[in-house]
Amino acid sequence: MTLPDAFLDIARRVNNWGRWGPDDEIGTLNLITDEVVRAAAATVRSGRRVPLAVPLRQDGVQTGMIPGRVNPLRTMVALNLEMFGPGTIATSDDVVTLGLQAGTHWDGLTHVSHSGRIYNGRPADTVTAHSGAEFSGIEKVSSLVSRGVLLDVAAALGVDRLPGGHAVTPEDLDAAEELAGTKVRAGDIVLVRTGQIQAYLGGDKQAYAYPSPGLSIRTPEWFHARDVAAVANDTLTFEIFPPEVEDLWLPVHGLDLVEMGMLQGQNWNLEGLAAACAEAGRREFWLDATPEPFVGGAGAPVAPVAVL
Amino acid sequence: MTLPDAFLDIARRVNNWGRWGPDDEIGTLNLITDEVVRAAAATVRSGRRVPLAVPLRQDGVQTGMIPGRVNPLRTMVALNLEMFGPGTIATSDDVVTLGLQAGTHWDGLTHVSHSGRIYNGRPADTVTAHSGAEFSGIEKVSSLVSRGVLLDVAAALGVDRLPGGHAVTPEDLDAAEELAGTKVRAGDIVLVRTGQIQAYLGGDKQAYAYPSPGLSIRTPEWFHARDVAAVANDTLTFEIFPPEVEDLWLPVHGLDLVEMGMLQGQNWNLEGLAAACAEAGRREFWLDATPEPFVGGAGAPVAPVAVL
Amino acid sequence: MTLPDAFLDIARRVNNWGRWGPDDEIGTLNLITDEVVRAAAATVRSGRRVPLAVPLRQDGVQTGMIPGRVNPLRTMVALNLEMFGPGTIATSDDVVTLGLQAGTHWDGLTHVSHSGRIYNGRPADTVTAHSGAEFSGIEKVSSLVSRGVLLDVAAALGVDRLPGGHAVTPEDLDAAEELAGTKVRAGDIVLVRTGQIQAYLGGDKQAYAYPSPGLSIRTPEWFHARDVAAVANDTLTFEIFPPEVEDLWLPVHGLDLVEMGMLQGQNWNLEGLAAACAEAGRREFWLDATPEPFVGGAGAPVAPVAVL
Amino acid sequence: MTLPDAFLDIARRVNNWGRWGPDDEIGTLNLITDEVVRAAAATVRSGRRVPLAVPLRQDGVQTGMIPGRVNPLRTMVALNLEMFGPGTIATSDDVVTLGLQAGTHWDGLTHVSHSGRIYNGRPADTVTAHSGAEFSGIEKVSSLVSRGVLLDVAAALGVDRLPGGHAVTPEDLDAAEELAGTKVRAGDIVLVRTGQIQAYLGGDKQAYAYPSPGLSIRTPEWFHARDVAAVANDTLTFEIFPPEVEDLWLPVHGLDLVEMGMLQGQNWNLEGLAAACAEAGRREFWLDATPEPFVGGAGAPVAPVAVL
C-alpha cells in the first residue's frame, strides 16, 4: 500500500528537504533569524504575560486511547526530610513519569515518518528504541522564541468553539488573519484557536479527544506559502480527527513534520490568550515556547508564554 | 535541636511572610510587574538567543548521591508504528521518568522547609505524598519572564572557574555587578556564574557535584536588598557545599525559599551566555525561564533562553 | 470522628498485636511452620500447575479511579542492540512503571492504617514518603508458600459469578468449605472465588471494579478462628464495595491488615484453578505466592502458582 | 561481520529449534512435565524455605553501566491517606519504576538475538518497541516450578568465592554435581553458585559487576546433554565477563537463549541456600521461580524460593 495522490501531490509542493542543506535537523526553525526575534521583541507593549500550558497532572488530557502516552504521575521521593538530622532544614523532592506528548507539547520532527523517511529524507530507522532520534531529536530545537500570531478561527467564524467535525481550511485561516489585523510572515509561530480545549477544561476529556476540529489537509500549503516557523493549536490531534479523506490518517502530520520540517504543537490552552488579545485589540505578541531538551525525543513538553 | 542564630538572625532580616498578603503563594515573583517586563523587552538588541538548559539524558548531572533524584530515562512507546495499516503515516512516541530536580530546574518554594514551616508561614505538612504542595506548588509560577542579569563571578575574579571551596560572597556579587555594568534591580532574575558546570561538561560528574563553589549564607541579604525575583547558577547545590558553617546544612535554601519566598535555579549552563555577553559587551538580556507546570511540584525542569 | 463500634468490637476480637512479640513484622505468616509446609507438599499429586496471575499489561485491571495506581507501562530500553559491534549478539532490555497494587498483588500490612496505627500497634507515620514502610514492608514476607485451599463461593452458591451487591459471609465460607471437602486450618492460604474477575477477562473493566462482591465485615473473625495465614480473592477491592455499613469504608482492610496482621490478595484469576480443582475433585493444593521484595513496599505484585 | 566458528559450531550442537514444534515459545520449559513436578515435591523434607531474591531497592545491583537498566525507584502515591474523611481507614499505595532485568530476574528468550533470529528461528524484529516480544515474551512462561539442584562450584573448588577471572567449565560443573550427590536430570532448574554476589552484599557493587566469574562457553553443551529446564546463578552477567574468547561477547547468552531456548537467571542470592543445603546434607529441593508475567517482556523480576 502507498499513500494516495491526495497526499503525495501536496507533499511535493510543501517539501523542504535540502532547502537548508543536507545536514539540517531543524527545518522551518531556520526561518527564525535574529532579525525576526528583534521584530518580535517590538511587539511587547503592555508587558502582560499569558501562560498557554495546561497544568501537568495525573488527570491530564490523555484518555488512555493512545497506548503509552501516559498522563503525568508525579510523586514525592523526599517529603520534609531532615536528612542532616532532627531540626535541620528539611527537603522535599519529586519524580515524574509522563508521555512526552501527553500534555502541552511540541511534536518533534521525528514524531511521524512515512514511506520509511523522516524530515530531510533521512531513513526512519535512524530513530531507535535505545537512543531515540539520532537526527532531529527535540533537543536540537535549542530555543524557540519568535513573534506569535493568534489566528482565532472560532472568533472569526463567530462561534465560541468549532464543532467536532470542522476542518479548519485555508479560507478559515484567511478570515482569522484578517481578524488578527496582521499578516502572517516568515519565522512566525502561528497559534490556531478552535476553542476545542473548552471541553477538557469543562471536564469532558472524551469530547475533547474525539471527534475533534482541526487543521485541514489543505493548510500545510498555506503555512508553507508564508514560511511559518511553527504552528500550535488547542486540540489533542492537531488536525481534524477523524480525517477528511477516508483511510488517509494523519496526513497533516506527514506534511508538516516530514515534508516541511515544521513543528506542530498540541493541547495548548489558548482561551486566556484569546481574551487578552481581544482586550488588547491585537493578536501579535512575543512568544517563548522552548521545549524541554530531551535528547532524542520525538516530542517534548513545553510551557509556552505569550507576552503582549 | 533548633537552627543556630547564624541562621535565625538572617532569617528575620530577609523574611517576606505576609508582604504580599496571607494568601500569597509566589513570593518574590510578585516583583515582576508588567513594567519590569516591558523594560526587559527593551534589552533585546541583536535578537541572539542563548539556551541555558543542560540536555536531558540518562547520563545527566545526577550521580545517585541524592536518593530518588533520578536522571531522565526516556524510552519509545511507539517506533515508526503504522497503527492505521501498512504503508500509512507511522508515529513515534516517547515516555520519560525523571526527577523534577534532576536537570536544569527551578526549586519551588516548597522544596525545603524548616521548623515545620514553608514560605509565608504555612505548615510544612501541607505538602503531602499524594498531592504534593497544596500551596506554592511549582505550577503556581505560571510564567517567569523578566530581565536577566549575568553576574559572572568567575570572570570578575579573573578565573575560568571558581575552586570547589569558594563561597560566593556579597563582595563577589558587587564585583560581578560592577563588571556587568548595570545595577541589579527589583524584579530581575540574577544568574550567578561560577564556572563549576565545566566539570560536568568535561565529563567529571563527581567533581561537579562535590565539593562545589556556591552562594554564601551572606548572599540572601544582598538579593533581598535589591528585591531580586529569582536567582539561578551553574552548580548542583546552588550554595557552597559542604557548607561554610559547621553542621548548618542548606542554610541558603532555607533563607531563599522559606524566608524570602524566592525561587532558586540549579544546573544552568551559563558558559555560552558568558561568552555571548562578553562578545556583546553587556550582561543584561531578556530571560524566559518558565518552569513546566507540574501540579504540586516541589520543583520543575526548565529550558531557559536568554535573548540579547 | 472515630470508627464505629461495628468496627471496634470486631477489632478487639481479631487483634493479634503482641501475639508474636513486640518486634514482629509479619503477623499471621508466623503460622506457616515447617510442618505446615511439609503437609502442603503432600497435597501435590498430579504435578499440574495453575498460574493465578493476571498478565501485566498497560490495559490492566486499573481504570484510573484509584489515583496513582497505574497499570504497567513496559517499554524497551534496548532493542536487538548490537552494542559490541555489527554482527554480534544483540540484546533487548525493558523497563516498567507500575503501581505495586495495580495487578495481581498482595496488600502488605502497611497498606492501611487506622487511628494512627499499623499492625502490632506501631505508629502509622513509620511509613514515610522517602523510605516507605520501616516496619512490615512487603520485603519482610521473604517467602510465602503453604497449603492453599480454594473456597469457591460462587460454585457453592450454584452460580458462575456472584452479583455485584453480594457480601461473602461466614455462612458462605462454611458452604464453600463444605464443598472443598477439607477443613481450613492454621497456616493455610485461603483463596475465595467470587467469579467477579470474569468481568475483566470479558473486557468490562468498569463492571469489574464497581460494584463488586467481596468479603463481609463478618469474615475476619472466621479467618481468625481458623488461624489462616493469608487470604486472596478475584476482585479489585477484596471486600464488598460499596461497603455493607454506611460510611464505614474498607473495614475488612482495617481488620485483616491492621488488627490481625494478615495479608490480603486481590485481582487473582481463580477461574482456571476452579476448573482444575473441579476436575481433580479436590480443592487443596500447594501454593507458592511469594511477593516481589520491594523494600518498604505497602504491597507487591505476585505471580502465584497452585500445584495440584 | 559474522559470529566465529567457536560460536557457530556449538550453536549447531545445542540447537533446539523445531524440537517442540514450529509454534513453540517456551523452549526447554517443555521439559518440566507433571511427572517432574511430582518428583520435585518429594524433595520437600524439612519444610524449610529459603528465599533467593535480592531485595528490590534503589541501591540495587545496577551500577549505571548498562543504559536503561535502572534500579527500582519505589515511591508512595498515597500515604496514610484518609480518602473517605478524617478518622476513617487510611490507605498507603506505591508505584515503582525498574528495569525488568535490574534485580533478581530471568532473562526471557528474547533477551538476545543473533544473525537476526530469536529462539525457534523467528525473526528478531518480531520484538518491537511498542509491543515488546510478540513471541516468547516472559509472560509465556506462565509457571516455573521444578526440582532445583544447587551446583556449588565455589564449595566444590574449596573456595568461598571464585575469582573474577574464573570461567566455570563443564569440569567444574561435574565436580559440583559430585558434591551435590544427585545427578542433574531432565526438567531440573540448576543453580550455579560462584559466591560472586558476596561482593554486592558486602557493599562493593563495582567489584560485583566486573570482572565476574561466570559460565564458560563450553557449559551450554553440558546443560543441553542433561536437558536442563533453566539455569540461574549469583552474578550480574551470568557468563564470565569479560569473555573468554576475544571479541566474542555474550556467547553463552546466544547459545542458551537463542539456540537452546533455555531461560537464564541472574543476581540470585545463593548464599543462604548454600548454607541451608550444607546443613541439610543435600543439594536438591523444590524450587518455585515463576517470573512476573509482563506481557512482551524480554525478562522479568522473580522472587524464587527453595523449599528443602
Side-chain angles (χ1 to χ4, degrees):
Chain A
M1 189 187 145
T2 52
L3 290 160
D5 289 342
F7 176 87
L8 296 173
D9 288 348
I10 304 175
R12 270 184 290 274
R13 292 198 291 270
V14 300
N15 184 282
N16 278 330
W17 297 2
R19 179 172 171 188
W20 295 284
D23 294 335
D24 179 57
E25 303 189 37
I26 58 170
T28 53
L29 297 184
N30 285 290
L31 297 162
I32 307 179
T33 60
D34 286 358
E35 192 180 357
V36 163
V37 174
R38 281 199 306 274
T43 67
V44 175
R45 292 193 215 161
S46 68
R48 178 172 179 183
R49 290 134 285 156
V50 185
L52 309 179
V54 171
L56 290 160
R57 50 168 33 117
Q58 212 203 338
D59 192 20
V61 300
Q62 300 302 318
T63 59
M65 287 192 316
I66 306 175
R69 199 180 280 191
V70 291
N71 282 316
L73 178 62
R74 190 199 53 73
T75 67
M76 309 302 303
V77 288
L79 181 59
N80 292 313
L81 177 66
E82 296 177 334
M83 68 172 117
F84 301 107
T88 59
I89 308 281
T91 61
S92 296
D93 255 44
D94 23 29
V95 71
V96 75
T97 296
L98 80 159
L100 290 181
Q101 292 84 7
T104 302
H105 70 278
W106 284 114
D107 285 345
L109 296 189
T110 65
H111 174 50
V112 306
S113 64
H114 75 80
S115 316
R117 298 284 150 181
I118 55 168
Y119 167 69
N120 224 7
R122 292 191 176 92
D125 63 10
T126 54
V127 185
T128 62
H130 19 283
S131 304
E134 183 182 348
F135 302 100
S136 293
I138 198 72
E139 83 280 11
K140 302 289 170 58
V141 169
S142 169
S143 78
L144 185 32
V145 204
S146 192
R147 185 176 80 136
V149 176
L150 176 68
L151 296 188
D152 192 336
V153 175
L157 301 191
V159 297
D160 228 34
R161 173 180 163 197
L162 298 176
H166 188 98
V168 172
T169 61
E171 294 72 32
D172 291 343
L173 297 179
D174 286 337
E177 189 184 34
E178 173 92 22
L179 177 70
T182 180
K183 284 287 174 191
V184 171
R185 58 183 188 237
D188 279 347
I189 305 172
V190 172
L191 307 183
V192 179
R193 180 173 170 269
T194 69
Q196 173 74 358
I197 206 159
Q198 294 170 18
Y200 170 68
L201 299 174
D204 191 344
K205 289 161 74 154
Q206 295 295 344
Y208 174 57
Y210 181 95
S212 181
L215 295 170
S216 159
I217 191 174
R218 294 168 51 217
T219 58
E221 288 185 87
W222 196 94
F223 296 121
H224 188 251
R226 281 151 188 80
D227 265 345
V228 160
V231 179
N233 74 10
D234 53 357
T235 71
L236 185 76
T237 49
F238 191 73
E239 55 188 284
I240 179 171
F241 200 85
E244 300 153 282
V245 182
E246 207 185 328
D247 278 335
L248 178 51
W249 300 90
L250 302 179
V252 178
H253 280 67
L255 294 167
D256 285 353
L257 299 168
V258 180
E259 302 294 331
M260 293 178 62
M262 184 183 79
L263 295 193
Q264 294 180 167
Q266 281 113 308
N267 302 318
W268 292 41
N269 181 353
L270 304 177
E271 297 303 295
L273 179 63
C277 282
E279 218 175 291
R282 58 202 176 87
R283 292 183 167 84
E284 62 165 356
F285 37 84
W286 172 273
L287 181 62
D288 186 287
T290 303
E292 287 296 319
F294 286 99
V295 175
V302 61
V305 174
V307 187
L308 278 77
Chain B
M1 190 187 144
T2 51
L3 290 160
D5 289 342
F7 176 87
L8 296 173
D9 288 348
I10 305 175
R12 272 184 289 272
R13 292 197 291 271
V14 301
N15 185 282
N16 279 330
W17 297 3
R19 179 171 171 188
W20 295 283
D23 294 335
D24 179 57
E25 303 188 37
I26 59 169
T28 54
L29 297 184
N30 286 291
L31 297 161
I32 307 179
T33 60
D34 286 358
E35 192 181 356
V36 162
V37 173
R38 282 199 304 275
T43 66
V44 174
R45 292 195 215 160
S46 70
R48 178 172 178 182
R49 291 133 286 156
V50 185
L52 308 179
V54 170
L56 290 161
R57 49 165 37 113
Q58 212 203 338
D59 192 20
V61 302
Q62 300 302 319
T63 60
M65 288 191 315
I66 306 174
R69 198 178 282 191
V70 293
N71 282 315
L73 178 61
R74 189 198 54 72
T75 66
M76 308 304 302
V77 288
L79 182 60
N80 292 313
L81 178 66
E82 295 176 336
M83 67 172 117
F84 300 108
T88 59
I89 308 282
T91 60
S92 296
D93 255 44
D94 23 30
V95 71
V96 76
T97 296
L98 80 160
L100 289 182
Q101 293 83 6
T104 302
H105 70 278
W106 284 114
D107 284 345
L109 296 188
T110 65
H111 174 51
V112 307
S113 64
H114 75 81
S115 316
R117 297 284 151 181
I118 55 168
Y119 167 69
N120 225 7
R122 294 193 175 91
D125 62 10
T126 53
V127 186
T128 61
H130 18 283
S131 304
E134 183 182 347
F135 302 100
S136 293
I138 198 71
E139 83 280 11
K140 302 288 170 59
V141 169
S142 170
S143 77
L144 185 30
V145 205
S146 193
R147 185 178 79 138
V149 176
L150 177 69
L151 296 187
D152 192 336
V153 175
L157 300 192
V159 297
D160 227 36
R161 173 181 163 196
L162 298 176
H166 188 97
V168 173
T169 62
E171 294 73 30
D172 292 343
L173 296 179
D174 286 338
E177 189 185 32
E178 173 90 22
L179 178 70
T182 180
K183 285 287 175 192
V184 170
R185 60 185 188 235
D188 279 346
I189 305 171
V190 172
L191 307 183
V192 180
R193 180 173 169 268
T194 69
Q196 174 73 359
I197 207 161
Q198 293 169 17
Y200 170 68
L201 298 175
D204 191 344
K205 288 160 75 155
Q206 296 295 346
Y208 174 58
Y210 181 93
S212 181
L215 294 170
S216 160
I217 191 175
R218 295 168 52 217
T219 57
E221 288 185 88
W222 197 93
F223 296 121
H224 189 250
R226 280 153 188 80
D227 265 346
V228 161
V231 179
N233 73 10
D234 53 356
T235 71
L236 185 75
T237 50
F238 190 73
E239 54 187 286
I240 179 169
F241 202 85
E244 299 153 283
V245 182
E246 207 185 328
D247 278 335
L248 179 50
W249 299 89
L250 302 179
V252 178
H253 280 67
L255 295 166
D256 286 352
L257 299 167
V258 180
E259 302 294 333
M260 295 177 61
M262 183 184 78
L263 296 192
Q264 296 180 164
Q266 282 113 305
N267 303 318
W268 292 40
N269 181 354
L270 304 177
E271 297 302 297
L273 179 63
C277 283
E279 217 176 291
R282 60 204 176 86
R283 291 182 168 82
E284 61 165 358
F285 37 84
W286 172 273
L287 180 61
D288 186 288
T290 303
E292 287 297 318
F294 287 99
V295 174
V302 61
V305 174
V307 187
L308 279 77
Chain C
M1 190 186 145
T2 52
L3 289 161
D5 289 341
F7 177 87
L8 296 173
D9 290 346
I10 305 175
R12 271 184 290 273
R13 292 198 291 270
V14 301
N15 186 280
N16 280 328
W17 297 2
R19 179 171 172 189
W20 296 282
D23 295 334
D24 179 57
E25 303 188 37
I26 59 170
T28 53
L29 297 184
N30 285 291
L31 297 161
I32 306 179
T33 61
D34 286 358
E35 192 181 356
V36 163
V37 174
R38 281 199 304 274
T43 66
V44 175
R45 292 195 215 159
S46 70
R48 179 172 178 182
R49 290 133 286 155
V50 185
L52 308 179
V54 171
L56 291 160
R57 49 165 36 114
Q58 212 202 338
D59 191 20
V61 301
Q62 301 302 318
T63 59
M65 288 192 314
I66 307 175
R69 198 179 281 191
V70 292
N71 282 316
L73 178 62
R74 190 199 54 72
T75 66
M76 308 303 303
V77 288
L79 182 60
N80 293 312
L81 177 65
E82 296 177 336
M83 67 172 118
F84 301 109
T88 60
I89 308 282
T91 61
S92 295
D93 255 43
D94 22 30
V95 71
V96 74
T97 296
L98 80 160
L100 289 182
Q101 293 84 5
T104 302
H105 71 278
W106 283 114
D107 285 345
L109 296 188
T110 64
H111 174 51
V112 307
S113 64
H114 74 81
S115 316
R117 298 284 152 182
I118 55 168
Y119 167 68
N120 225 6
R122 294 193 174 90
D125 63 10
T126 54
V127 186
T128 61
H130 19 281
S131 304
E134 183 182 347
F135 303 101
S136 293
I138 199 71
E139 82 281 11
K140 301 288 170 59
V141 169
S142 169
S143 77
L144 186 30
V145 204
S146 192
R147 185 176 78 137
V149 176
L150 177 68
L151 296 188
D152 192 337
V153 175
L157 300 191
V159 297
D160 227 35
R161 174 181 162 196
L162 298 176
H166 187 95
V168 173
T169 62
E171 294 72 31
D172 291 344
L173 297 179
D174 286 338
E177 190 185 31
E178 173 91 22
L179 177 70
T182 180
K183 284 286 173 191
V184 170
R185 59 184 188 236
D188 278 346
I189 305 171
V190 172
L191 308 183
V192 180
R193 181 173 169 270
T194 69
Q196 174 75 358
I197 207 162
Q198 294 169 17
Y200 170 68
L201 299 175
D204 191 344
K205 290 161 72 155
Q206 296 294 347
Y208 174 57
Y210 181 94
S212 181
L215 294 170
S216 160
I217 190 175
R218 295 168 52 217
T219 57
E221 287 185 88
W222 197 93
F223 296 121
H224 188 251
R226 282 153 188 79
D227 265 346
V228 160
V231 178
N233 73 10
D234 53 355
T235 71
L236 186 75
T237 49
F238 191 73
E239 55 187 284
I240 179 170
F241 201 85
E244 299 153 281
V245 182
E246 208 184 328
D247 278 335
L248 179 51
W249 300 89
L250 302 180
V252 179
H253 281 66
L255 295 167
D256 286 351
L257 299 168
V258 179
E259 301 294 333
M260 295 177 60
M262 184 184 78
L263 296 192
Q264 294 180 166
Q266 281 113 306
N267 302 319
W268 293 41
N269 181 353
L270 303 178
E271 297 302 296
L273 180 63
C277 283
E279 218 176 291
R282 60 206 176 83
R283 291 182 167 82
E284 62 166 356
F285 38 82
W286 172 273
L287 181 61
D288 188 287
T290 303
E292 288 296 318
F294 286 99
V295 175
V302 61
V305 174
V307 188
L308 278 78
Chain D
M1 191 185 143
T2 51
L3 289 160
D5 289 342
F7 177 87
L8 296 174
D9 289 346
I10 304 175
R12 271 185 289 273
R13 291 197 293 268
V14 301
N15 185 282
N16 279 330
W17 296 3
R19 179 171 171 188
W20 295 284
D23 294 334
D24 179 59
E25 303 188 37
I26 60 170
T28 54
L29 296 184
N30 285 289
L31 297 162
I32 306 180
T33 60
D34 286 359
E35 191 182 358
V36 162
V37 173
R38 282 199 305 273
T43 66
V44 175
R45 292 193 216 161
S46 69
R48 178 172 179 182
R49 291 132 287 154
V50 185
L52 308 179
V54 170
L56 290 161
R57 49 167 34 114
Q58 212 202 339
D59 192 21
V61 302
Q62 301 302 318
T63 59
M65 288 192 315
I66 306 175
R69 199 180 280 191
V70 292
N71 282 315
L73 178 62
R74 189 199 55 71
T75 67
M76 308 303 304
V77 288
L79 181 60
N80 292 313
L81 177 66
E82 296 176 335
M83 68 171 119
F84 301 108
T88 59
I89 308 281
T91 61
S92 296
D93 255 43
D94 22 30
V95 71
V96 74
T97 297
L98 81 159
L100 289 182
Q101 294 83 6
T104 302
H105 70 278
W106 284 113
D107 285 345
L109 297 188
T110 63
H111 173 51
V112 306
S113 64
H114 75 81
S115 316
R117 298 285 150 179
I118 55 168
Y119 168 69
N120 225 7
R122 292 192 175 91
D125 63 10
T126 54
V127 185
T128 62
H130 19 282
S131 305
E134 182 182 347
F135 302 100
S136 293
I138 198 70
E139 83 280 10
K140 302 289 170 58
V141 169
S142 169
S143 77
L144 184 32
V145 206
S146 192
R147 185 177 79 137
V149 176
L150 176 68
L151 296 188
D152 191 337
V153 175
L157 300 191
V159 297
D160 228 34
R161 174 181 163 198
L162 298 176
H166 188 97
V168 172
T169 62
E171 294 73 30
D172 292 344
L173 297 179
D174 286 337
E177 189 184 34
E178 173 91 22
L179 177 69
T182 180
K183 284 288 174 191
V184 170
R185 59 185 187 236
D188 279 346
I189 305 171
V190 172
L191 308 183
V192 180
R193 181 174 169 269
T194 70
Q196 173 74 358
I197 206 160
Q198 294 169 18
Y200 170 68
L201 299 175
D204 190 344
K205 288 160 76 154
Q206 296 295 345
Y208 174 57
Y210 181 95
S212 180
L215 294 170
S216 159
I217 190 175
R218 293 169 51 217
T219 58
E221 286 185 87
W222 196 93
F223 296 120
H224 188 250
R226 281 152 188 80
D227 264 345
V228 160
V231 178
N233 74 9
D234 54 355
T235 71
L236 185 75
T237 49
F238 191 72
E239 55 187 284
I240 180 170
F241 200 84
E244 300 153 282
V245 181
E246 208 186 328
D247 278 336
L248 179 51
W249 300 90
L250 302 179
V252 178
H253 281 67
L255 295 167
D256 286 352
L257 299 168
V258 180
E259 302 292 334
M260 293 178 61
M262 184 184 78
L263 295 193
Q264 295 181 165
Q266 280 113 309
N267 303 319
W268 292 42
N269 181 354
L270 304 177
E271 297 302 296
L273 179 63
C277 282
E279 218 175 291
R282 59 204 175 84
R283 291 182 167 82
E284 62 166 356
F285 38 83
W286 171 273
L287 181 61
D288 187 286
T290 303
E292 288 296 320
F294 287 99
V295 175
V302 60
V305 174
V307 187
L308 278 77

